[in-house]
Amino acid sequence: MGEKERKSCEQIGIVGTGLIGTGLAALFIANGYHVHMMGINDSECLRGENGVRENLYDLVKAGILPESYVNRFMQNLTITQSYEALCDVTFVLEAVFERLDVKHSVYRKLEEYCGEHVIIASATSAISADELAGGLIKKNRLIVAHPWNPPHLIPCVEIVKSSFTDESVLKYAIEILESIGRKVVVLNRSIEGFIGNRIMHAMYREALYLLEQGIASAQDIDRTILYSFGPRFESVGVLEYYDSCGLDLQNEVQTYLFPTLCTAQGPQKPVLHCLEQGKLGPKTGGGIYDWPREHQEEFRYRKSKPFFQYFKWIDPEEQV
């Protein structure tokens, strides 16, 4: 069966209507898959449909997609509140709240209503694959497939097997994710936060420490990253660059520097101070930064712009 024929009969399930679910749905439907997206109520379902459409229209505004394609892609999307609607799917992406009990409740329903060979991929950012698989009777069908937000644009997906995962499940997950243009990374074993979040949160921790110690403003800390090493890592790898500098030099620098770095073991003072004031970021209009509506819209576009080039899609005429 060719790729077009396979996609035309492939049924994808997505449980969750938030940023991850709607991003993944936009990507799959633009690549010829039929997606059944599940929400828990009318409001969540409406949010999901609007989110998918908004993701596609962002690409129209960026000159990536013709506007006429949006409605044609949307025909590949079914919104449902029923697990029964997922009975024919071959691959389910779970993108619900980051709580183990919530995810396990979803898995119980999927096992009740889906075929025994359906593959379940969790979009969790940190929960171990073994803990997730503990909520299933048939544990070998689960795999972690952690995307990055926005998932229809950022190509990296971190795949983590549990100790129960079949190799055929891993192979299929890689195949289907690569078919929509994702750059798949497979971890040798599970670890909290996987690869990207561990590296990113180490940087967050040090940036917050510099802010807490009054070394610089949030704006100047961000400017340092934007106009120094940030752009470098668009074209070279972190360890590749580290190695290129000479390990003898790195040894000297780290011997001097590492004892002074932040070692916080939990949320830091700048974050706790904001939480005490009810400042949660854009959703409350303020956090470490002020977030007026116009800044939120500008930031949303700026955050996505570097990744527009990675959006893969198929002309609707070729999907028939």
Side-chain angles (χ1 to χ4, degrees):
M1 185 182 291
E3 185 177 15
K4 288 183 195 175
E5 290 79 11
R6 180 174 64 80
K7 287 182 178 180
S8 67
C9 65
E10 196 92 52
Q11 304 287 304
I12 303 294
I14 295 178
V15 182
T17 58
L19 293 172
I20 298 300
T22 55
L24 290 169
L27 187 60
F28 273 106
I29 65 174
N31 280 278
Y33 291 93
H34 192 92
V35 171
H36 299 267
M37 171 179 274
M38 184 176 166
I40 58 175
N41 54 44
D42 290 344
S43 175
E44 291 295 299
C45 288
L46 180 61
R47 181 180 76 153
E49 183 176 1
N50 289 341
V52 175
R53 193 180 297 275
E54 182 178 56
N55 287 331
L56 295 175
Y57 269 111
D58 282 347
L59 294 161
V60 172
K61 293 174 188 175
I64 306 295
L65 283 180
E67 186 171 3
S68 61
Y69 286 9
V70 173
N71 285 337
R72 298 183 71 173
F73 288 153
M74 290 297 290
Q75 292 173 14
N76 291 337
L77 178 69
T78 299
I79 307 291
T80 182
Q81 295 179 41
S82 169
Y83 281 95
E84 293 180 80
L86 306 182
C87 64
D88 294 324
V89 302
T90 53
F91 188 75
V92 178
L93 283 147
E94 168 269 301
V96 300
F97 192 65
E98 275 295 78
R99 251 179 49 191
L100 193 60
D101 61 327
V102 175
K103 293 179 183 294
H104 282 177
S105 69
V106 169
Y107 302 161
R108 285 193 292 271
K109 290 291 187 181
L110 290 173
E111 284 199 305
E112 181 179 352
Y113 288 102
C114 295
E116 65 177 31
H117 298 298
V118 69
I119 292 171
I120 301 171
S122 176
T124 180
S125 299
I127 301 174
S128 81
D130 279 319
E131 285 189 280
L132 292 168
L136 286 161
I137 297 171
K138 192 174 180 182
K139 296 176 173 54
N140 60 340
R141 69 169 72 188
L142 181 132
I143 201 162
V144 167
H146 171 236
W148 290 77
N149 187 29
H152 59 299
L153 299 179
I154 299 180
C156 182
V157 178
E158 297 172 303
I159 285 189
V160 190
K161 299 184 296 179
S162 79
S163 56
F164 309 100
T165 306
D166 279 347
E167 285 300 313
S168 61
V169 170
L170 172 65
K171 182 179 178 181
Y172 184 82
I174 293 172
E175 176 187 327
I176 204 164
L177 290 166
E178 287 183 342
S179 78
I180 56 173
R182 301 307 85 185
K183 304 296 184 184
V184 176
V185 174
V186 180
L187 276 69
N188 293 327
R189 62 182 179 86
S190 184
I191 188 172
E192 295 83 354
F194 316 131
I195 298 171
N197 267 323
R198 292 184 73 89
I199 295 171
M200 188 167 64
H201 280 271
M203 183 174 66
Y204 288 160
R205 180 168 65 178
E206 191 60 36
L208 287 165
Y209 179 72
L210 294 171
L211 183 63
E212 177 188 332
Q213 295 298 309
I215 304 300
S217 67
Q219 291 80 0
D220 279 344
I221 292 168
D222 282 351
R223 286 191 192 103
T224 300
I225 295 167
L226 286 169
Y227 300 111
S228 62
F229 63 82
R232 172 183 291 139
F233 294 123
E234 289 185 4
S235 56
V236 301
V238 171
L239 291 178
E240 182 182 27
Y241 180 75
Y242 179 90
D243 205 24
S244 75
C245 293
L247 298 182
D248 52 343
L249 173 62
Q250 299 290 18
N251 177 66
E252 293 298 325
V253 171
Q254 292 183 344
T255 298
Y256 175 78
L257 180 62
F258 273 18
T260 75
L261 295 179
C262 181
T263 58
Q265 297 297 297
Q268 293 158 269
K269 288 181 181 178
V271 175
L272 296 174
H273 180 66
C274 285
L275 293 177
E276 288 170 1
Q277 296 180 310
K279 298 167 69 174
L280 307 180
K283 58 186 168 185
T284 58
I288 293 171
Y289 277 82
D290 290 329
W291 288 94
R293 178 59 58 185
E294 59 272 17
H295 182 198
Q296 294 183 39
E297 290 302 314
E298 183 271 339
F299 173 79
R300 183 170 165 274
Y301 181 83
R302 182 159 43 92
K303 179 181 70 172
S304 299
K305 186 178 179 181
F307 299 100
F308 285 142
Q309 62 181 306
Y310 295 110
F311 184 77
K312 178 181 180 292
W313 54 281
I314 297 175
D315 188 311
E317 297 296 334
E318 298 179 14
Q319 295 184 16
V320 177

